[in-house]
Amino acid sequence: MGRPRLHDSSFVSGREDNITESQGELRLFNSRIGRSDLEWDNFGDLQVRMAATGIQPAGVFAFLRESKLRVLLLSLALLIPCVWHRRIEAGDLPSHVYNAWLAQLIEKGQASGLYIAKRWNNVLFDVALLRVANLVGIAAAQTIVVSVCVLIFFWGVFAFVAVVTERPPWFLAPCIATLAYGYSFNMGFMNYYLSVGLACFGLAILRRAQRIDWIAAAAFALLAMLAHPIGFLWLVGTLAYINIRAKLSGWWKLTLPLAVAGGFVAVRWYVARRASLLGDWDRGPFYLYNGADQLGLFGTRYFWLAAAAFFFGIACAANELYSRRKEIDWWRQFELPLELYTVTFCATALLPENLRPSPEGGWIGLLASRLTTISAIFVLCLLGGIKPRKWHLAGFGICAGVFFVFLYQDTGWLNRLEEHSEELVSKLAPGTRVIVTIEAPEGSRMEFAGHAAERACIEHCFSYANYEPSSRQFRVRVREGSPLVTSSADDAQDMASGQYQVQDEDLPIKQIYQCDANDLTKCASGTWKPGRSTGGLDTNRRSGESHGGRSVGQQPSQGTSTDHLVEPPFQFPASGSSAGSVLDMALCRLGWLHTPRVSAELLEAWAAGWESTAQAL
């Protein structure tokens, strides 16, 4: 991949706004120059110049010795989002934590119908979480393991960009930090996230590897595979692409990206015509998935921020191109990173968003959406090639600061939701089975808000709609007939979406749902009466889909019988009726469960709702 010329005129500190870096900071990784080394195209001329000028990159230990304080302070600052709330909120992360607790029960023989399967991928994060949890407990383990994953991802991307540009990209640290807490992290794709970070380290090592370097790179490749196959395939595919491209000359180089793009077209054609795969491309305009979409998280304001960051990066690149317009072959250092970005962009545009290879297993979901993490990394390689200036750092720093302010606010919302869920489940009888039907606010791109309630179930109850065991894509598996979790991936999905019709064999079971449209962090619960398989509890959903009866997610209408509800195993004050969950809902709407004061408008709304309920009774 292209990198800046370290000694040409564009890197002479001739302007006051340049960011100057010491020679010690320019030496990062051990690079041996020789014809037998791995070639990364277009780098031979730079190798010759480095040898002629005596600039020999030192090893990583020299870099750490010279920049240890900066590395330490940056690492500590990077981990602030992991500790700024009581819980780390990251989409699917609570589900990973909940299933780590199930794995502990399986090891103790206390999880009927569950077992641990041997897998060679998609397991590294879960294995690490379980092992650390056995030592320090679940609560501390998730903070420790997630923090390690964040550091691996950040410094892996940092190392990869540094190797491409031949200098540490300090001025891009705000961008890398933002990406580290972007879409892939907040969706909780922890194994994939860890795999990409490890793959970055592997690519950095393999830049001009010799024998001992291949051993280290093989270790990173193996760990990446254990984490997730996408990171491993990216490492191997990028390495193969660069090696093949280095052997081509002239216009023949264009055949390689065209061949790769043609392969993605063939994949799209095959998936689209193979109905059994259930592939879809339901993700909106393809051009929006350009790497900046990794900043689009909980609402519209994130997309405005992503657009601002995108156009600021364009401005930085345009300024660089204009200032170097008279240089000969200035574009060569950007050629390969741009080519790899274009190939990755084709992959995100052509590959399906969701598909299901096996009708018995779970979905491979949000494939292209998560691949834009790799697109963003190649964008950073392009930006790393420009001459760093103070206004670059200031602009990227402002974007990162606004992003983390937004993130603090929205993860605080999720923390309150989980706190209220914990209050509910703490009052349930031990071992109660629950179905969680909780959704994120409208406009949020984060789809897994309901998993926060699953983590609240630890040591209290069992999430019957837990999707991991039935998907057969994780270590924890379920046998048919388990009383702790459904064995059907379809049923698990329908339960979580509120479209499942409860069967007699599912009972007894409770539902946790959002009960106040004005404050979606407030939750209530209701219990199904044995012998009835219809009825609805979830008041957050306004239009449940009926399948021959009322689904889990459908709101009861006026005149609907509440016979299907029985008294919950805990009592609130003045609750003596058999419609305990109805009173639960009313109290939740009043705010008595979680807040000391009640607004007049909310009181009026509750009174009107209670009159309707009284008429139905």
Side-chain angles (χ1 to χ4, degrees), residues 440-515:
E442 185 177 357
S444 174
R445 197 179 171 203
M446 302 295 100
E447 304 177 11
F448 301 144
H451 290 326
E454 287 189 346
R455 180 163 55 185
C457 285
I458 292 177
E459 297 183 356
H460 293 291
C461 56
F462 294 100
S463 174
Y464 195 60
N466 175 19
Y467 82 97
E468 287 195 13
S470 60
S471 71
R472 302 183 182 181
Q473 296 176 4
F474 301 89
R475 295 177 70 236
V476 176
R477 303 287 181 87
V478 58
R479 296 185 178 90
E480 188 173 356
S482 172
L484 306 183
V485 62
T486 179
S487 59
S488 168
D490 289 330
D491 288 348
Q493 180 179 357
D494 289 343
M495 290 175 188
S497 64
Q499 298 179 3
Y500 177 74
Q501 185 178 357
V502 177
Q503 306 297 317
D504 289 342
E505 57 267 24
D506 298 324
L507 302 175
I509 198 167
K510 292 181 69 68
Q511 182 182 358
I512 296 178
Y513 58 96
Q514 290 154 306
C515 62

Side-chain angles (χ1 to χ4, degrees), residues 45-122:
D45 56 341
L46 177 59
Q47 295 174 5
V48 172
R49 293 196 304 273
M50 290 173 62
T53 57
I55 300 177
Q56 294 293 334
V60 64
F61 295 108
F63 166 75
L64 292 175
R65 182 173 60 253
E66 295 165 357
S67 305
K68 56 181 178 296
L69 182 58
R70 187 182 297 187
V71 170
L72 176 61
L73 294 178
L74 187 55
S75 298
L76 292 176
L78 188 66
L79 296 181
I80 291 177
C82 291
V83 296
W84 62 17
H85 295 302
R86 178 186 168 191
R87 312 161 190 83
I88 302 176
E89 301 294 351
D92 201 34
L93 173 63
S95 180
H96 285 282
V97 177
Y98 172 78
N99 282 278
W101 173 64
L102 290 183
Q104 288 181 323
L105 296 182
I106 293 171
E107 292 179 344
K108 299 175 183 177
Q110 298 175 353
S112 176
L114 300 182
Y115 65 99
I116 296 178
K118 294 182 179 180
R119 287 185 59 89
W120 49 273
N121 61 33
N122 204 27

